[in-house]
Amino acid sequence: MTALTLSTAGAATLRADALVVGVAKGAKGPVVAPGAEAVDKAFDGKLATVLETLGASGAEGEVTKLPAPAGLKVPVVIAVGLGSVPEKDAAFDAEALRRAAGSAARALAGSKKAGFALPVASVEDAEAVAEGALLGAYAFTAYQGGENKLAAKDKKNGNGPKSPLAEVALLGAKPRDKAFKAAAERAVAVVEEINRARDLINTPPNDLYPESFAAVATAAGKEHGVKVQVLDEKALVKGGFGGLLGVGQGSTHGPRLVKLAYTHPKAEKTLALVGKGITYDSGGISLKPAGHNETMKCDMSGAAAVFATVVAAARLGLQVNVTGWLALAENMPSGNATRPGDVLRMYSGKTVEVLNTDAEGRLVLADALTRACEEKPDAIVDVATLTGAMVLALGHRTFGIMANDDAFRTSIHEIAEEVGEASWPMPLPADLRKGMDSPTADIANMGERMGGGLVAGLFLQEFVGEGIAWAHLDIAGPAFHEGAPYGYTPKGGTGSAVRTLVKLAERTAAGDLG
């Protein structure tokens, strides 16, 4: 991953391939942001004028490259848009800094070192810039540039994939200040785990399936002091995990339930996280139509987020117990696959009539939720690319939050907004529950078509233990980005919800959630 350093050099004396500065959108044109004073001086105080001449406005995500003038030790200056100038005495929004740093880092692919002289008025600003730059520098190249003559020729001619920016030198922070050092270390740990989640999401399903995902989790657990337990098919049959087995029985790759447990000797609270891990979702017998299968390797994004969060909590040494449950299965059609009309007996003992085999995520989550609740955590959050209905409701960049406790839902929403992840609180209307009544079983896995994302939440609520605060994050929209990269968001897996869950764990450790 890209290295991060807190530089003691000034903008005028830093030696690097490029220097990144901020420019904001003012009422009368672009305005040079704090942190770029030395650069503006090198342009004889005319940096804003030069940028305006080149068509720059300071709009968010705008990147303008300039040859550096005499007086700077770098060959290139990159001015990145921060959006509107803040109101008087107000600082730039952390998310604006994060996105600007990400845009600049993406533009610097192939470079060895770049200085980031964006506005850093506080420790929080420094952490936002660090996060954005490290997230923006991400690239998934594991399957590109293989050892063959054609790839070698492309690389030699500069036509192959560019390597991510190798080093981010953060200017304006205080390298000897403990708070700034801690913020930088936190940014590195969290982003490395987000990028680990992104790698998993982007890995093709012929290489990532329940058993191989479990192996990755086991290896990471050994490295970071997280206890890992894997239930294979035999153990799932013995335990009666009918949801996981029913979804996974159509595949040659059997299902797994993986438990990751990070514990702290002084912890007073336990947070349980449950992730949907459908490593490939064909829809099963209820096969998805053409055009809807190509990105279904991303249907394990919830499990990837949970995995990344538990490891991040361990790396940060948070004073809270965090247990992750990865409900892993591959949903395939075959002569052995679950059929519409089949009835599954879940781990909880409830029976479920399967009306649609493409509503499989709620089945694996139901088993994992029941198992997680047996350990009586103080709170439980499940994360899943669960429904297309949530994408229709909230679009591709916002995830929905449902909960059995309004205060808990509000806390998670506030945390998500704080860390820069767009989210929205959603209801669990009781009248929609009747649509899942089954004449054959205790409940059906489908209900009314309208409000389908809420119906799925109501289904999951049936498997949550009494007295446990529970929230459900439907990340179907933001988990996988199919368009052009923007800000610090790449094409492909995004690592959605990891920042929210890590901050939730930190708040729980601090006792801020009651």
Side-chain angles (χ1 to χ4, degrees):
M1 192 179 104
T2 302
L4 174 68
T5 58
L6 301 183
S7 179
T8 56
T13 59
L14 179 75
R15 294 184 182 276
D17 296 321
L19 184 65
V20 177
V21 298
V23 56
K25 189 174 183 179
K28 298 181 179 180
V31 176
V32 177
E37 293 82 1
V39 178
D40 190 31
K41 183 178 179 181
F43 277 92
D44 295 325
K46 297 179 180 179
L47 177 56
T49 302
V50 172
L51 289 169
E52 187 171 24
T53 301
L54 292 173
S57 66
E60 183 182 304
E62 186 179 74
V63 176
T64 307
K65 294 185 178 181
L66 304 164
L72 299 180
K73 302 295 184 182
V74 297
V76 177
V77 170
I78 293 184
V80 60
L82 291 165
S84 300
V85 175
E87 295 182 7
K88 187 177 180 181
D89 298 327
F92 282 92
D93 177 74
E95 180 63 5
L97 295 175
R98 202 177 282 115
R99 291 181 179 176
S103 295
R106 286 191 297 103
L108 285 160
S111 300
K112 292 183 179 179
K113 180 179 179 179
F116 282 68
L118 294 172
V120 176
S122 64
V123 171
E124 291 73 22
D125 290 346
E127 186 171 349
V129 173
E131 279 186 351
L134 296 176
L135 287 169
Y138 172 82
F140 184 69
T141 58
Y143 293 82
Q144 297 175 336
E147 294 300 322
N148 59 67
K149 292 179 180 179
L150 183 61
K153 183 179 178 181
D154 279 345
K155 189 173 183 180
K156 183 178 180 181
N157 294 335
N159 297 325
K162 290 183 178 180
S163 300
L165 171 63
E167 181 183 348
V168 169
L170 181 58
L171 281 64
K174 300 175 182 177
R176 296 180 180 84
D177 185 292
K178 289 183 178 180
F180 280 91
K181 288 175 67 176
E185 290 169 359
R186 181 189 184 279
V188 169
V190 173
V191 173
E192 283 186 352
E193 295 314 315
I194 291 174
N195 286 344
R196 189 201 298 266
R198 289 171 166 181
D199 283 348
L200 286 167
I201 297 164
N202 290 327
T203 299
N206 57 316
D207 282 344
L208 188 76
Y209 41 88
E211 185 179 3
S212 62
F213 194 154
V216 171
T218 299
K222 290 179 180 178
E223 181 183 356
H224 296 291
V226 174
K227 186 176 180 181
V228 181
Q229 179 186 10
V230 179
L231 298 185
D232 60 12
E233 287 171 278
K234 185 177 180 180
L236 293 173
V237 169
K238 184 177 180 180
F241 290 88
L244 274 158
L245 291 165
V247 173
Q249 70 187 42
S251 173
T252 56
H253 298 297
R256 298 288 187 273
L257 179 61
V258 180
K259 175 186 176 183
L260 303 104
Y262 160 68
T263 57
H264 191 286
K266 296 183 180 179
E268 296 181 356
K269 298 282 187 179
T270 296
L271 177 65
L273 306 174
V274 176
K276 175 186 173 183
I278 303 299
T279 56
Y280 182 74
D281 182 19
S282 69
I285 296 297
S286 305
L287 193 67
K288 292 179 182 292
H292 290 75
N293 281 296
E294 291 76 6
T295 61
M296 282 300 101
K297 64 182 181 180
C298 78
D299 212 19
M300 37 59 67
S301 296
V306 167
F307 170 40
T309 300
V310 176
V311 176
R315 293 181 61 174
L316 296 172
L318 302 185
Q319 195 169 313
V320 58
N321 297 328
V322 184
T323 303
W325 300 85
L326 315 183
L328 308 177
E330 187 176 63
N331 187 25
M332 296 291 285
S334 75
N336 197 46
T338 293
R339 298 156 288 247
D342 283 356
V343 173
L344 305 177
R345 185 171 295 279
M346 311 297 282
Y347 178 70
S348 68
K350 287 185 179 181
T351 54
V352 176
E353 182 181 11
V354 179
L355 299 180
N356 187 326
T357 63
D358 195 24
E360 85 298 329
R362 64 199 70 183
L363 298 175
V364 301
L365 286 173
D367 273 358
L369 279 168
T370 303
R371 178 65 187 89
C373 288
E374 286 182 340
E375 299 192 354
K376 304 296 182 184
D378 294 287
I380 187 166
V381 180
D382 75 73
V383 193
T385 48
L386 206 59
T387 65
M390 196 56 57
V391 185
L392 290 173
L394 299 177
H396 290 285
R397 298 191 183 185
T398 305
F399 63 76
I401 308 171
M402 285 155 263
N404 62 0
D405 181 284
D406 289 347
F408 191 43
R409 182 185 61 193
T410 298
S411 292
I412 293 176
H413 179 224
E414 290 173 348
I415 287 170
E417 296 298 305
E418 178 187 335
V419 301
E421 295 198 295
S423 68
W424 197 250
M426 303 291 284
L428 288 171
D431 61 286
L432 290 177
R433 169 60 183 84
K434 185 172 179 56
M436 290 184 284
D437 285 349
S438 165
T440 308
D442 295 324
I443 189 172
N445 77 327
M446 292 291 287
E448 294 183 29
R449 180 169 175 268
M450 299 302 173
L454 312 182
V455 170
L458 286 165
F459 179 90
L460 295 178
Q461 189 177 30
E462 296 276 325
F463 298 88
V464 177
E466 290 291 330
I468 299 175
W470 159 78
H472 161 55
L473 311 186
D474 191 335
I475 61 171
F480 196 84
H481 180 56
E482 295 186 64
Y486 65 92
Y488 54 80
T489 301
K491 186 178 180 70
T494 65
S496 177
V498 175
R499 282 181 288 149
T500 296
L501 296 176
V502 171
K503 181 62 73 172
L504 174 64
E506 289 174 327
R507 290 278 182 86
T508 305
D512 291 346
L513 290 176

